[in-house]
Amino acid sequence: MTELRARDLSLGYGDRQVVTGLNLTIPEGAFTAVVGPNACGKSTLLRALVRLLRPRGGVVELDGRDLQRLRSRHVARELGFLPQGVEAPEGIRVAQLVRRGRYAHQSVLGTWGPGDERAVVGAMAAAGVTDLAERGVEHLSGGQRQRVWIAMVLAQETPYLLLDEPTTFLDIAHQYELLRLLARLRDEGRTVVAVLHDLNQATRFADHVVAMRDGRVVATGAPADVVTATLVEEVFGLPCLVVPDPVAGSPMVVPLD
Ligand SMILES: Nc1ncnc2c1ncn2[C@@H]1O[C@H](COP(=O)(O)OP(=O)(O)OP(=O)(O)O)[C@@H](O)[C@H]1O
Ligand SMILES: [Mg+2]
């Protein structure tokens, strides 16, 4: 059993301290939503969890081992990451970009096998970009491009999927399609961590919610325990009612006038 955990984590850039003394365990095999206001440190935390940002203090552990000490290939095979606002290399085609997701799986000789092909075809189908395979990524719409990146991350077939605002740019139907896909991957045993701005989507699809403010974790737990009117007011400064979602029964945030 693997476990991703942050202990007493401090993160920052230059003289800007963003996260101080953060403790967090990502429940394995669950769908965790990270919520919080702009600039509170969500992306910074995710980058540290996938080792793109070295901690100033504390440690991120995968399986009880310091992430900094693991081999890059091991990290790449375990942790799939979709950054926020990522840009594709110029001139690259959709299928080419998705194939890059297999990089960490290739042998030293870089041989492309049937397993790689299957992963790429499956990921493109799951993300709904099969028909775009030969299109240039830079000529796609924002939502199409976002789905191509999702396909690239899925092609990595990692047990962990960490996605920074995966629903941005997507229309409402594609947002729900993606959230359902993530829930299905969770059902199949993967661990999903997604930064989501839509609290109603977070409570409806996630098993576990991490609420952040000013670089700190303010609350973690089941959606109904975390997303309360008090917490939303405390974290976002937004007075609201929280009522049961009429379809799913999950907590639904309705802002007050
Ligand atoms: N590369 C960087 N260099 C310097 N400061 C940065 C850098 N990236 C982020 N920051 C700062 O760190 C703080 C946290 O940023 P972060 O991107 O983690 O926020 P966030 O919670 O993801 O916000 P959003 O919801 O807007 O994506 C902000 O004050 C931001 O300006
Ligand atoms: Mg962010």
Side-chain angles (χ1 to χ4, degrees):
M1 185 165 124
T2 61
E3 187 185 65
L4 187 60
R5 175 192 285 245
R7 286 181 199 274
D8 199 22
L9 195 63
S10 293
L11 306 168
Y13 309 91
D15 55 13
R16 188 192 305 271
Q17 185 75 10
V18 178
V19 165
T20 309
L22 181 144
N23 290 292
L24 184 67
T25 301
I26 302 296
E28 204 211 354
F31 183 156
T32 296
V34 180
V35 304
N38 292 138
C40 74
K42 304 178 297 297
S43 297
T44 301
L45 172 63
L46 250 65
R47 285 202 287 271
L49 291 178
V50 299
R51 209 178 71 173
L52 289 179
L53 187 64
R54 181 187 281 273
R56 292 185 157 175
V59 65
V60 176
E61 291 173 349
L62 180 63
D63 252 342
R65 293 158 73 198
D66 183 348
L67 208 55
Q68 296 295 332
R69 291 166 170 270
L70 299 178
R71 294 167 61 170
S72 300
R73 180 179 280 250
H74 179 68
V75 174
R77 283 188 179 188
E78 289 290 324
L79 308 173
F81 179 52
L82 174 73
Q84 183 177 7
V86 61
E87 284 194 26
E90 218 174 297
I92 197 164
R93 292 182 188 281
V94 169
Q96 243 178 321
L97 181 62
V98 178
R99 281 192 204 111
R100 292 203 173 176
R102 297 303 298 167
Y103 184 72
H105 290 269
Q106 313 266 281
S107 64
V108 210
L109 299 172
T111 339
W112 185 263
D116 296 308
E117 195 57 39
R118 240 188 339 265
V120 165
V121 169
M124 288 179 59
V129 296
T130 307
D131 293 345
L132 305 175
E134 292 312 315
R135 299 271 303 272
V137 176
E138 63 208 305
H139 304 304
L140 299 177
S141 78
Q144 288 175 323
R145 216 173 300 154
Q146 181 76 348
R147 286 188 282 128
V148 171
W149 282 109
I150 287 159
M152 199 205 74
V153 176
L154 294 179
Q156 295 171 29
E157 295 188 320
T158 49
Y160 283 83
L161 288 165
L162 294 98
L163 312 164
D164 198 348
E165 300 195 27
T167 52
T168 26
F169 303 116
L170 301 184
D171 65 58
I172 188 163
H174 280 112
Q175 287 179 24
Y176 276 84
E177 198 176 301
L178 174 65
L179 291 161
R180 278 195 292 266
L181 169 64
L182 296 179
R184 198 160 70 237
L185 293 167
R186 181 267 326 271
D187 293 342
E188 290 167 11
R190 307 240 223 147
T191 303
V192 177
V193 181
V195 174
L196 297 174
H197 275 301
D198 187 318
L199 295 178
N200 299 337
Q201 291 180 347
T203 57
R204 185 157 166 172
F205 287 92
D207 313 296
H208 191 75
V209 176
V210 175
M212 290 182 69
R213 188 190 163 189
D214 295 335
R216 290 177 301 112
V217 171
V218 179
T220 60
D225 296 333
V226 173
V227 181
T228 61
T230 314
L231 179 116
V232 173
E233 172 125 37
E234 181 195 338
V235 169
F236 294 95
L238 180 74
C240 65
L241 281 180
V242 174
V243 297
D245 177 309
V247 174
S250 46
M252 186 170 84
V253 176
V254 185
L256 293 171
D257 272 342

